[in-house]
Amino acid sequence: MKASLWPLWSPDGTAPLAFLLSPLNLLAIVLLLATLFLLWLMWLRIKVDWGAEETVLGKELAGKETVAFFHPYAHAGGGGERVLWCSIKAVQEKHPGVVCVVYTGDQDVKPEDILEQAKKRFGVPVDPAGVRFAFLTGRRWVDARSWPRFTLIGQSIGSVMLGWEALSLFRPSIFIDSMGYAFTLPLFHFFGSCR
């Protein structure tokens, strides 16, 4: 076989790297790569366990039952936001001791203004003492303008990136995706141990 056709063959026709193609060696390589992948996943899990508890929000809410809502556009004022605030109000009415955390990318808005808009626009008053906000910096990952081609795939990948940022900011007891970013659910379940 010629060198130009198969990169493992040397120009003189011998196969110096052909030993990699034996079944036993291929199995060893696959097992090594799988082990490295599992070690990487374990490292990510440990990083979340230690990192999320050290944040300001993690320290403030340590030991409390929390429900987190993943809603990067919480201040947009549309129909999805009404669902978010009605859900938070329902949690507060049925479970008064539970603290609701909203993951949002609206960094330029004060928490009081977001709650005031929910009250004025939707007529949904929520108890401010039972709501905290985790402000996300990477909302551009889920913005359609960031993905002019392959938008759905890009937003799905971006939701995992944004979800990782959210999980690094705070690890809740219960996680609810209120915007339809489905790939955040396994992320919070497997890496955050969230229900």
Side-chain angles (χ1 to χ4, degrees), residues 109-159:
V109 184
K110 296 178 186 174
E112 303 83 31
D113 295 338
I114 296 174
L115 295 173
E116 186 63 31
Q117 178 180 342
K119 185 176 181 180
K120 281 183 181 177
R121 185 168 186 124
F122 305 121
V124 182
V126 295
D127 179 17
V131 179
R132 301 291 186 282
F133 292 91
F135 292 99
L136 305 171
T137 59
R139 186 168 70 179
R140 68 188 176 283
W141 287 105
V142 295
D143 192 356
R145 290 176 291 191
S146 297
W147 307 98
R149 289 176 182 62
F150 304 107
T151 306
L152 290 177
I153 293 172
Q155 285 181 314
S156 297
I157 294 168
S159 71

Side-chain angles (χ1 to χ4, degrees), residues 50-64 169-170:
W50 290 347
E53 294 171 359
E54 297 300 318
T55 63
V56 175
L57 199 55
K59 289 178 183 177
E60 178 187 347
L61 299 176
K64 295 182 180 178
L169 288 174
F170 178 71

